[in-house]
Amino acid sequence: MCEKSYTSKYNLVTHILGHSGIKPHSCPHCNKLFKQPSHLQTHLLTHQGTRPHKCEVCNKAFTQTSHLKRHMLLHTDIKPYSCRFCGRGFAYPSELKAHEVKHENGRCHVCVECGLDFATLTQLKRHISSHQGPTMYQCLECNKSFHYRSQLQNHMMKHQNVRPFVCKECGMEFSQIHHLKQHSLTHKVFHSYSHNAIH
């Protein structure tokens, strides 16, 4: 199946169940199913109101470290979710989705330099000309340059080793959402291969 190894039989069996999609651990409050007991334990914190992972900047608390890491992006001004149409960065996938819907409906007239929104494309074009010359954002670590500040912020996560995107299948962490999506495909390919091999 895969090359992972475990010292205990219990952990190996739990891991194999994950490959088969079996989720034997059920929440007694809402019946949500989980592959591993540790995932269930983390979920139970939401019912108890316990949030052990606290933000040191604003004191907002979370049940999982991955949620806290994603929240911290707001304070660092890192926006890892980039619009596929204009490259503008967003802190949350919900913000990106709402923004991209505007593009798809032909209603998005946002300046990628400063974020101002305009009612018409003509107004946006007039505004863009007010920005003097092509601004370049340069990384102080490696001197790489970017057209948009959000692109530089995404790049800086590599230097800072910030990896807020966690694979639910194997726990691998990524600095960019599209890297996680690419990685997730390997699990899908493996699952379909295993399924076909069985039949």
Side-chain angles (χ1 to χ4, degrees):
M1 282 190 174
C2 74
E3 295 181 11
K4 279 198 171 183
S5 59
Y6 295 88
T7 52
S8 80
K9 186 177 179 182
Y10 174 79
N11 288 343
L12 174 62
V13 170
T14 302
H15 176 77
I16 291 169
L17 288 175
H19 282 298
S20 61
I22 296 170
K23 297 180 179 181
H25 306 284
S26 173
C27 173
H29 303 288
C30 67
N31 295 323
K32 191 172 181 181
L33 299 173
F34 299 89
K35 286 185 234 177
Q36 297 179 17
S38 60
H39 295 169
L40 172 59
Q41 292 304 316
T42 302
H43 167 76
L44 287 171
L45 295 175
T46 61
H47 293 294
Q48 297 163 6
T50 306
R51 297 174 181 269
H53 308 285
K54 190 177 274 191
C55 173
E56 293 177 1
V57 179
C58 68
N59 290 327
K60 191 171 182 180
F62 301 87
T63 56
Q64 297 179 41
T65 51
S66 59
H67 293 175
L68 172 60
K69 283 180 181 178
R70 191 167 58 194
H71 164 79
M72 289 303 292
L73 296 177
L74 293 174
H75 298 303
T76 58
D77 204 25
I78 293 170
K79 297 178 178 179
Y81 299 94
S82 298
C83 173
R84 59 188 177 185
F85 299 106
C86 68
R88 186 178 173 195
F90 296 88
Y92 291 106
S94 56
E95 291 177 330
L96 171 62
K97 190 173 182 181
H99 169 79
E100 286 187 340
V101 165
K102 285 184 178 180
H103 276 295
E104 289 163 357
N105 295 337
R107 293 197 322 265
C108 190
H109 309 293
V110 178
C111 175
V112 293
E113 290 293 326
C114 65
L116 280 174
D117 206 338
F118 295 89
T120 67
L121 185 59
T122 306
Q123 289 174 333
L124 172 61
K125 284 180 178 176
R126 192 180 306 128
H127 165 79
I128 288 173
S129 65
S130 70
H131 289 290
Q132 296 176 352
T135 305
M136 293 299 283
Y137 298 92
Q138 194 168 32
C139 173
L140 300 176
E141 298 278 336
C142 66
N143 295 324
K144 196 170 182 182
S145 295
F146 301 90
H147 288 290
Y148 305 116
R149 192 161 63 104
S150 59
Q151 291 174 327
L152 171 61
Q153 290 165 343
N154 290 345
H155 167 77
M156 287 303 295
M157 288 200 294
K158 293 177 184 175
H159 294 301
Q160 297 162 357
N161 203 26
V162 176
R163 298 172 181 273
F165 305 103
V166 183
C167 175
K168 291 177 182 175
E169 291 284 328
C170 67
M172 274 187 76
E173 297 180 342
F174 299 88
S175 60
Q176 302 285 323
I177 185 66
H178 61 270
H179 292 165
L180 171 59
K181 285 179 179 175
Q182 283 178 324
H183 166 79
S184 296
L185 292 174
T186 63
H187 290 298
K188 288 180 183 173
V189 168
F190 178 79
H191 286 313
S192 62
Y193 172 78
S194 301
H195 181 73
N196 292 337
I198 293 168
H199 295 292

